[in-house]
Structures are given as structure tokens and as C-alpha cells.
Amino acid sequence: MKHSYMKSMVVACLATLSFIGFNATATAATNYKVVKGDSLWKLGKRYSVTIDDIKKLNNRQGDMIYIGETLAIPSKTKVLAAETTEPSTAAPAHTAKPEAKPQAKPAEQETPAVSISASEKDLLARLVEAEAKGESYEGKVGVATVVLNRVDSPKFPDTVTGVIKQVVGKAYAFSPVQNGSINKPASEDSKKAVEQALTRKDRLDNSIYFYNPKTATDNWIRSRAVIKTIDHHVFAK
């Protein structure tokens, strides 16, 4: 009787220690500060965890991240250690364990290739609205893409704000900044166009200019190599 009681106590203690070890290791994480060019997909590959792992640990629903924010990245080695210390619940020999379902990879268009701040995203959407109001959704995406291409180009400022508010000669590079129409709120289509452009799926062959050939008065802009025409805008580089 005494031996049975001691055996039960030992089993109970081991189970308790396993449970404590599981909870302690399952929450282990690394704090990471988001920088330009980061995305959940890239962070998942870097730390060998899934996007869902990161979103669950940070209580996130969407896939957008912003420059300067701090994310908790789950430690893959700690998660594995937690799994091995959990009390065994092995099924009987005659019962086959269900196969684990493979982790589905999120659609590529849902994962931004670059991250910008919320204020810059709003500024870009307002520029798109002012420059491409009345244009198709594709045309709006094109305008946002040109701005992002300029950020990547050594010929222009390296931030969205810097590109949009750049002064060329005695005027702003974009007329909506000059005439104040950029201060009007953006439409939902313009906001969605910015999100689409951030995926960088179609960079318009790195076009860094767009213009309306019916109203453009600068002959120099007409000398640039034309990449594509969308609605009333010619996109060039």
C-alpha cells in the first residue's frame, strides 16, 4: 500500500513539472523592432516560425506591420522543447494517430513586401486620390507604385514622405502638394491601391515617372522610355 501511494505521488509530481515546463517554454519569445523592408513572411523565414505563430503571439488579426513597432517573435527551439516535455498521451498500439495537416502558406498578395508607417500610408493614399481621381483601380496602383519605385531609386529621397514632398526647382514634384488637393481624404479604392502596391507584385518595370500626354507641357518628360499606358497616364523611366 505504501509503495503504491509513493508511486502515485511521483507520477503526479512529474506530470506537474512537465506542465510547468510546457507553460514556461511555450511563452519564450524574442523582441524584434520592425525596420524598412520587413514583412511577417520575411520574419517567419528568418526565425523559422509561421506567420500564424507571430500573429497569435502578438494578438494580431491582419498581416500589416509598421516601421518602428516591436513584435514578439516566438522561439522555435523553445516551442519544440515545450512539445517534448508535455506529459505523454500516446494512443493504444492499435489506434493510428491522425496525420498533422500541413501549414497553409498565405496568399502572396496578402503579405506586403515593404512596410511603411500608418501616417505615410495615409499620405500616399491621399496623393493617389488627388493624382488618379477618376482613373481605374489599376491606374491608382500605378501612381502608388511610381512613388515606391522612387523610394527605392538612388535618384530620389529614401522615404515616402520625402518623395511626395520633394521640391524640384521652385515647386513640389507632385502638383497636388503644390495646390493643396493632397489634403483631401483618400477614397477606399485609393487606400486599397496603396496596399496592393506595397506587395510589389508589379513594379511597372521600375517606372519612376507618370504623366498625362494631353496636358504635359514639359518636353523632357516625353523623352523618357515609356513602359505602359494606363487610362490617361503614361508610365515611364
Side-chain angles (χ1 to χ4, degrees), residues 7-192:
K7 184 176 181 181
S8 298
M9 286 296 292
V10 170
V11 171
C13 289
L14 288 174
T16 300
L17 288 172
S18 297
F19 177 78
I20 292 173
F22 172 76
N23 281 279
T25 54
T27 57
T30 299
N31 289 329
Y32 178 83
K33 190 171 184 180
V34 176
V35 299
K36 181 179 177 181
D38 281 337
S39 67
L40 289 181
W41 182 77
K42 287 184 178 180
L43 292 178
K45 288 191 66 178
R46 184 183 304 172
Y47 290 96
S48 300
V49 295
T50 67
I51 291 177
D52 286 340
D53 288 337
I54 301 175
K55 288 167 63 176
K56 184 177 180 181
L57 185 57
N58 290 275
N59 195 24
R60 291 290 184 86
Q61 297 297 324
D63 293 332
M64 293 300 299
I65 57 177
Y66 303 100
I67 296 173
E69 71 170 316
T70 300
L71 294 176
I73 308 297
S75 172
K76 188 65 177 176
T77 56
K78 294 294 185 181
V79 171
L80 291 174
E83 292 172 353
T84 58
T85 56
E86 188 176 7
S88 174
T89 55
H94 62 277
T95 303
K97 291 184 180 180
E99 292 185 3
K101 294 182 178 180
Q103 180 68 40
K105 184 179 180 180
E108 185 179 351
Q109 64 270 19
E110 295 178 357
T111 305
V114 295
S115 300
I116 62 176
S117 67
S119 60
E120 286 195 315
K121 192 182 298 183
D122 176 65
L123 179 64
L124 179 53
R126 286 188 277 117
L127 177 71
V128 169
E129 179 70 12
E131 288 281 11
K133 187 174 183 179
E135 303 284 303
S136 66
Y137 177 73
E138 183 185 6
K140 289 180 171 64
V141 174
V143 170
T145 297
V146 164
V147 173
L148 296 176
N149 286 346
R150 287 191 177 192
V151 173
D152 291 338
S153 171
K155 299 178 181 179
F156 298 90
D158 58 2
T159 66
V160 170
T161 301
V163 166
I164 293 176
K165 296 186 177 181
Q166 183 181 20
V167 175
V168 179
K170 296 182 179 180
Y172 286 101
F174 295 97
S175 58
V177 182
Q178 189 75 26
N179 61 35
S181 59
I182 193 173
N183 297 319
K184 296 180 180 180
S187 65
E188 287 303 313
D189 261 5
S190 292
K191 293 177 182 178
K192 290 178 181 178

